[in-house]
């Protein structure tokens, strides 16, 4: 099944129902389906099946319609953070070989300032087209006006989208997701949470993140109304509270840091969101104390912990009860219908309660790998025989254990990949960025636990002898390349780094020191 098909079934079943509501604009399923079909038809005329389309636009109805149109046209969309440095955006467009680029007014200004565009681009869709040699530039309206029905047949193994995530080499890497991968999760989520026409589902996370896959595709497949949260609204907890209340949101899926901020920095009171029936969270751990405060304010909402990296989609789910708030950590739950979880100690499967192992995932939701990075793909895979069956899939790098009831408990990570503000970050990418500065000889980045953001990032730098540099210069250097959530909150310049006996930077010692 292709993940856009559920949307078209809903449009045929309830054409007059509301598909989208965003900043005063409302679009029915029939209106949205017509727009998607026409835009898809023109895209199919312009681009071959399987071509990549970069979508560098702020969260909106039009951006989601562009995603649906790409899928309908048999294309692969690549959402790009509109707030990321333009250098990072260019890298993604180059890396995925995008043949089309979809912009809004905000991002068009950024790209218009570029002297040239990536060589792979043939088509740019933007509000005010600027003609460049070898590139067709059109508005979305002009493109849609020429659209005609699409007759392409796309298989379940075709790529639906590519999500770029932090990479330890200093460059982001693209996680390839097929229609089969996404549908395995979307079908489960739609049924597991009882989504339907009465629901109004907030799209809180940015579109280049993986959480909106549930918000958009599971909602549209069941006839619910999709309500994107404006980017400024996301930044201010009180504004988010007003949005949730005024839009009568019934379902929100967000990272714990955002939900913690809603409790700590808004006027939310117990029972203040009577329409909200379901709170889903993922992306990082939700510590029991702030989670308890959230559940006190939302006494009528069921709360679920969803676990799974981008490479696997969600693979476990846990309904949080009051008794769980007394635990030191909330469990990540039982495997969802399509996933098989194995714990590996080296190459040995450990399945007795209490035994610890690396969480590895086998099943239809597992990504085929990283775009253009066969070495990274190979390094992330496992293959093991267990009880006469061969299992293969993705090694998460997370460690866990089963309890007596068959519930999986998360124990942490043993590498340099951490979560901050709901985003996954390779500390090595930040270090690589700092080391690219001509004044920097050594760099180390440490994540320290934070009650609201999960982790804060602190950088330690040793400059080359005799080369002057200050903290603000290095932080500005990071801002030119890295997204805001990866820029260290603190940066300290040192004369030397502490080292272990083997010559490695003594990170534990650094973690115990103030930045």
């Amino acid at each position: 099944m292709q993940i856009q098909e559920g949307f078209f079934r809903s449009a045929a079943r309830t054409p007059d129902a509301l598909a989208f509501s965003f900043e005063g604009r409302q679009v029915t399923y029939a209106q949205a389906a017509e727009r998607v079909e026409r835009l898809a038809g023109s895209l199919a005329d312009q681009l071959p099946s399987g071509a990549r389309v970069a979508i560098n636009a702020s969260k909106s109805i039009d951006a989601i319609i562009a995603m649906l149109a790409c899928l309908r046209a048999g294309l692969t969309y690549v959402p790009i953070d509109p707030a990321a440095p333009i250098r990072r955006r260019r890298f993604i467009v180059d890396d995925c070989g995008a043949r089309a680029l979809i912009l809004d007014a905000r991002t068009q200004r950024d790209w218009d300032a570029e002297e040239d565009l990536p060589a792979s681009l043939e088509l740019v869709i933007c509000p005010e087209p600027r003609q460049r040699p070898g590139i067709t530039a059109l508005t979305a309206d002009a493109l849609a006006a020429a659209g005609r029905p699409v007759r392409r047949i796309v298989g379940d193994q075709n790529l639906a989208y590519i999500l770029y995530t932090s990479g330890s080499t200093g460059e982001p890497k693209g996680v390839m997701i097929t229609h089969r991968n996404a549908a395995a999760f979307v079908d489960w989520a739609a049924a597991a949470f009882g989504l339907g026409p009465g629901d109004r589902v907030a799209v809180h996370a940015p579109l280049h993140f993986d959480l909106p896959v549930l918000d958009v595709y599971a909602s549209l497949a069941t006839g619910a109304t999709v309500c994107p949260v404006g980017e400024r609204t996301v930044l201010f907890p009180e504004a988010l509270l007003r949005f949730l209340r005024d839009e009568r949101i019934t379902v929100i899926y967000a990272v714990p840091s955002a939900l913690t901020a809603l409790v700590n920095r808004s006027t939310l009171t117990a029972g203040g969101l009577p329409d909200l029936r379901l709170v889903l969270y993922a992306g990082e751990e939700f510590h029991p104390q702030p989670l308890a405060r959230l559940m006190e304010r939302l006494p009528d909402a069921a709360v679920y912990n969803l676990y799974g990296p981008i490479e696997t989609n969600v693979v476990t789910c846990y309904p949080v009860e009051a008794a769980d708030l007394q635990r030191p950590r909330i469990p990540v739950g039982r495997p969802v219908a399509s996933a098989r979880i194995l714990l590996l100690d080296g190459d040995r499967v450990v399945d007795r309660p209490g035994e610890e192992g690396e969480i590895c995932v086998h099943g239809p939701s597992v990504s085929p790998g990283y775009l253009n990075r066969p070495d990274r793909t190979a390094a992330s895979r496992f293959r093991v025989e267990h009880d006469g069956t061969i299992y293969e899939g993705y090694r998460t790098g997370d460690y866990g254990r089963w309890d007596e009831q068959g519930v999986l408990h998360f124990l942490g990570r043993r590498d340099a990949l951490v979560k901050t503000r709901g985003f996954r970050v390779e500390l090595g990418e930040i270090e690589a960025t700092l080391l690219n500065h001509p004044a920097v000889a050594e760099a180390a980045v440490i994540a320290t636990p934070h009650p609201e953001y999960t982790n804060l990032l602190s950088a330690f730098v040793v400059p080359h002898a005799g080369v002057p540099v200050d903290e603000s210069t290095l932080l500005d250097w990071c801002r030119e390349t890295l997204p805001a959530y990866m820029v260290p909150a603190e940066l300290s310049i040192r004369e030397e780094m502490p080292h272990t006996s083997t010559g490695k930077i003594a990170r534990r010692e650094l973690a115990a020191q103030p930045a």
Side-chain angles (χ1 to χ4, degrees), residues 102-384:
I102 298 178
L103 307 173
D104 59 14
R106 169 189 173 187
T107 57
Q108 182 179 347
R109 289 192 293 270
D110 299 334
W111 287 93
D112 279 352
E114 295 291 289
E115 291 186 5
D116 58 357
L117 296 181
S120 61
L121 287 177
E122 303 169 9
L123 173 65
V124 175
I125 304 165
C126 55
E128 297 181 7
R130 173 186 171 187
Q131 300 304 322
R132 298 181 189 238
I135 294 177
T136 301
L138 296 167
T139 66
D141 287 342
L143 193 65
R148 54 189 178 183
V150 183
R151 303 193 183 279
R152 277 184 178 160
I153 298 175
V154 177
D156 292 350
Q157 299 296 345
N158 286 65
L159 294 185
Y161 52 87
I162 301 170
L163 300 179
Y164 274 78
T165 186
S166 178
S168 60
T169 62
E171 296 177 340
K173 57 185 185 292
V175 180
M176 300 183 288
I177 303 294
T178 67
H179 281 272
R180 180 173 183 256
N181 295 153
F185 164 59
V186 168
D187 291 349
W188 167 82
F193 301 121
L195 298 179
D199 281 311
R200 295 175 63 84
V201 182
V203 184
H204 181 273
L207 296 178
H208 62 278
F209 203 18
D210 56 344
L211 272 64
V213 173
L214 185 154
D215 304 331
V216 172
Y217 299 109
S219 298
L220 293 177
T222 57
T225 301
V226 173
C227 304
V229 186
E231 293 183 357
R232 287 191 57 81
T233 299
V234 167
L235 296 176
F236 301 101
E238 188 65 26
L240 176 60
L241 174 61
R242 288 196 301 270
F243 170 88
L244 296 174
R245 185 175 55 233
D246 294 348
E247 288 285 345
R248 302 188 68 180
I249 296 299
T250 64
V251 180
I252 184 171
Y253 184 22
V255 297
S257 56
L259 296 170
T260 299
L262 180 66
V263 172
N264 292 344
R265 302 208 300 269
S266 82
T267 57
L268 176 64
T269 57
L273 292 172
D275 298 295
L276 192 62
R277 70 172 184 88
L278 190 59
V279 176
L280 311 175
Y281 71 86
E284 58 192 352
E285 280 196 88
F286 210 149
H287 297 290
Q289 187 175 9
L291 180 54
R293 291 197 295 270
L294 176 73
M295 292 176 68
E296 287 172 2
R297 307 288 175 86
L298 302 172
D300 299 321
V303 177
Y304 288 83
N305 179 13
L306 306 185
Y307 166 80
I310 292 175
E311 290 87 346
T312 68
N313 291 284
V314 169
V315 291
T316 68
C317 175
Y318 187 78
V320 182
E321 304 291 345
D324 295 310
L325 302 174
Q326 305 306 313
R327 299 174 183 262
R329 277 180 143 158
I330 305 298
V332 294
R334 292 183 171 84
V336 304
S338 62
R340 176 67 191 268
I341 308 296
L342 296 97
L343 301 185
L344 294 186
D345 181 5
D347 292 326
R348 180 177 68 91
V349 175
V350 294
D351 52 10
R352 290 199 299 266
E355 287 188 302
E356 298 180 9
E358 182 180 3
I359 301 172
C360 298
V361 183
H362 165 89
S365 69
V366 175
S367 162
Y370 303 110
L371 181 68
N372 302 329
R373 288 164 179 76
D375 54 336
R376 295 300 304 274
T377 298
S380 71
R381 313 303 281 193
F382 78 92
R383 190 174 190 273
V384 65

Side-chain angles (χ1 to χ4, degrees), residues 21 169 405:
S21 176
T169 62
Q405 288 72 44

Side-chain angles (χ1 to χ4, degrees), residues 23-44:
E23 296 183 348
R25 181 184 174 195
Q26 297 189 331
V27 178
T28 67
Y29 272 88
Q31 291 168 335
E34 180 183 7
R35 177 73 173 184
V36 169
E37 283 282 20
R38 295 180 71 84
L39 186 56
S42 286
L43 287 171

